[in-house]
Amino acid sequence: MTTTRVKARYVIGFDGEQHRTLVDAEVVYRGDTIVFVGRGYQGEIDEEIDGGNAILGPGFIDLNALGDLDTTILAFDNQPDWAKGRVWPEDYLAAGPIEMYSTEEQTFKMKYAFAQLVRNGITTALPITSMFYRQWAETYDEFARSADSAAEIGIRAYLGPCYMTGVTVIRQDGSFDTFWDEERGLKGLETARDYVRTYDGAHGGLIRGMLAPDRIENCTPELLLRSARIRDELDCPIRLHCCQGMDEFETIVERHDKTPVEWLASLGFLSRRSLLPHGVYLTGHSKVARTGDDIGLLAQSGAALIHCPLVLSRYGGAMESFARLKRQGIPIGLGTDTFPPDMVENMRIGISLCRVADADVAACSSADFYNAATLVAADALGRPDLGRLAAGAKADMTLFELGAFELGPVIDPIQTMMLSGTGRDFKTTIINGRVVMRDRQLPGIDLEDYRRRAQAQFERLIDKYPLRTWRHPPVEEIFQPSFKFA
C-alpha cells in the first residue's frame, strides 16, 4: 500500500475539536486514509507532493452541488422565471413532456459537472439537477451511469434519483396550478430506495446513497411520510428543497395551515438525517408575517440547512441570518447549486450577505464559513472521517495556490482565500487517496473537448426552450442579449 506525504506552507489540521493552521507542515496518507498530520514524520514514504506556497486543507463538501449545465445561467438576466421556461405551461403538460437530453447527454452533463466540482476543490458532492427538462423525474439507470461517472472522475458522491408527486404548471391565462400524479411519485420513491440499497458503498465506498424528493410544494403528505420511513430504514441522508421562496411558503400555508417547517415536523420528516436547501423563509424572516417557532423546531430536530449564497443573491434573497441561525443551534452547511460551482465565491458572498443582514461586520467570519463547508457538512452526513485532516480520516484534501499575483499579500491564509481567491486557485485535488487533479488537469480528461461538448449541448437545450415556455415565444424573445448584436 502506497504511503504519500503532501507538504505545504500552511496545513489546516484538525485537533479533535477544531481546525488549526500549521505552518510548514505535512499530511501523510496510506492508501485512502490519513495516518499523520504535523511536522517531521519519521516513517517510510513512497511518494511526495510538495505544494509549496499553498494551503493544504480538507476537501469541501457540497451538499447541494451543481450537477447540470445549469439553467440559472439563462435565468440570470431573463426574468420572470415562469415566463422563461422554468414552469411548464399546461398545454406542454397535456401534450406529454419530453426528455430534452438524450441518454448520452444525460451521462455527459453529470460527468462534466463532476469535473467542474473537482476543479473547484470539492471532494464530496450531493448533486442537484433541474427537473424542467425532464419527462418527469430522474431514473435508476441514469444514476447507475452517474455512479460510474463519479468513480471515473474520482469524486466522492452521494447519489439517488429525484422523485416527486407533483409539478407546478402555468395556465394559458397566466395563473398557476399543480398537476398531481401521486402513484408515479410513490413509484419513484421505491426506485430511489432500490437504488440506495444497491449503490450505497459502491466503488469501494466512494458512492453513497441518499433520498432526494423534489421541492416541498411538489410533494404529497404520503410521499413525505413514506420517504421519512425509508430514510430511517436505510439510515441515509434525505434532502428536500424548502423555505426557498415566498410563493412556496404561502402555498404550504394555504394547503396545510402550517409553515413548511411545521408541516415537515408534523409528518416526522425532520431529523438529523434531513438536509434542507435553502432554509431562508422561516418565521422571524422580515418577509414572513406568520408567527411560529420554525427555528426551534429545526434546532430540536437536528436537521441541517444548506445555504447557497450565490444563487440566493442572484434572486435578490438573503438568509436572515447565517449567524443568528447558527447561534440558535441549527447546523448550516453549504451548497453551490449554480454555475460556477465555486465554493470559495459562495463563502465570500455568504459572509457579506450575513454581515449586511445583521448590519454587523463581526456577525460572522471566514472561519465560520470554512467550517460550514467542511466540519459542519461532514457532521450533517454523519461522516466524522470527512471534512478534516486528522489521522483516521479519509485522504480527501486540496492544495490552494497562494502564489498568484492577484491574491495580494497573505496575512492569514484562510482570510486571503475568502478575500481574493476563487475556485480557480485550487491546483491539486486528492480524493480517497487518489490524485484526481494535478496542476489543474484531470488525468484522462480532455477539458477542451468537455468544453466544446458542453457548449454544443447547451445550445441544443436552448433551442428546445420554446416547447416548454408559456405561450411558446421564439428563443430570441425568451433570452434577450444584454446588448443587441450588430
Side-chain angles (χ1 to χ4, degrees), residues 144-464:
R145 293 189 298 272
S146 293
D148 291 341
S149 295
E152 179 184 341
I153 295 294
I155 196 168
R156 191 181 301 281
Y158 279 71
L159 301 175
C162 179
Y163 55 91
M164 65 228 188
T165 42
V167 63
T168 302
V169 295
I170 183 169
R171 301 188 185 98
Q172 190 68 12
D173 64 6
S175 60
F176 296 92
D177 195 6
T178 302
F179 171 78
W180 297 106
D181 190 340
E182 186 170 63
E183 182 180 359
R184 194 172 192 176
L186 294 175
K187 286 181 179 177
L189 169 58
E190 292 174 5
T191 297
R193 177 199 59 201
D194 293 344
Y195 181 89
V196 173
R197 286 174 172 170
T198 301
Y199 278 90
D200 189 54
H203 292 288
L206 202 63
I207 305 302
R208 300 295 300 272
M210 73 167 182
L211 297 176
D214 194 37
R215 304 160 179 251
I216 186 174
E217 67 269 30
N218 291 339
C219 295
T220 57
E222 186 64 21
L223 184 72
L224 295 181
L225 284 165
R226 293 193 192 184
S227 294
R229 286 198 293 267
I230 291 173
R231 171 203 63 201
D232 294 342
E233 170 197 329
L234 300 175
D235 191 25
C236 68
I238 187 167
R239 185 183 63 198
L240 174 68
H241 281 63
C242 78
C243 310
Q244 64 175 322
M246 280 306 299
D247 288 345
E248 169 227 301
F249 187 98
E250 291 164 356
T251 294
I252 299 302
V253 169
E254 182 179 351
R255 287 178 189 165
H256 307 291
D257 194 29
K258 292 179 174 67
T259 70
V261 169
E262 290 169 344
W263 188 49
L264 293 177
S266 74
L267 296 172
F269 187 90
L270 299 179
S271 84
R272 63 178 180 82
R273 299 301 259 155
S274 301
L275 306 171
L276 307 176
H278 295 258
V280 176
Y281 295 100
L282 310 170
T283 53
H285 190 282
S286 60
K287 292 186 178 179
V288 173
R290 190 179 177 95
T291 58
D293 188 22
D294 286 353
I295 294 173
L297 289 171
L298 288 170
Q300 184 179 15
S301 73
L305 299 181
I306 306 175
H307 188 24
C308 306
L310 177 58
V311 72
L312 182 61
S313 65
R314 286 179 176 175
Y315 280 81
M319 181 179 273
E320 295 181 359
S321 74
F322 175 94
R324 276 180 267 169
L325 295 173
K326 176 176 172 287
R327 283 197 302 270
Q328 293 178 83
I330 299 176
I332 308 175
L334 296 179
T336 55
D337 197 33
T338 189
F339 201 89
D342 185 339
M343 190 64 81
V344 176
E345 183 174 3
N346 271 273
M347 289 190 283
R348 178 165 51 246
I349 291 174
I351 292 167
S352 296
L353 287 175
C354 177
R355 291 175 177 179
V356 169
D358 283 8
D360 181 3
V361 69
C364 64
S365 67
S366 298
D368 291 330
F369 274 78
Y370 193 88
N371 286 339
T374 54
L375 298 174
V376 177
D379 291 346
L381 293 175
R383 296 294 301 268
D385 58 341
L386 300 180
R388 64 209 75 197
L389 299 184
K394 290 296 183 183
D396 292 7
M397 63 194 80
T398 60
L399 283 166
F400 182 92
E401 177 62 56
L402 288 170
F405 180 80
E406 294 79 10
L407 286 176
V410 176
I411 301 174
D412 172 86
I414 298 302
Q415 291 174 34
T416 298
M417 174 189 285
M418 302 298 173
L419 281 167
S420 309
T422 75
R424 296 184 183 92
D425 293 306
F426 287 99
K427 64 177 182 179
T428 300
T429 301
I430 299 167
I431 305 175
N432 216 35
R434 171 185 168 189
V435 179
V436 299
M437 180 176 75
R438 191 189 299 269
D439 295 327
R440 298 287 295 158
Q441 297 300 310
L442 280 64
I445 301 296
D446 185 338
L447 295 178
E448 177 56 24
D449 176 63
Y450 269 38
R451 186 198 65 77
R452 288 193 300 265
R453 289 177 63 184
Q455 184 64 41
Q457 185 168 318
F458 196 54
E459 289 172 3
R460 289 193 295 272
L461 178 66
I462 290 172
D463 288 341
K464 296 175 183 177

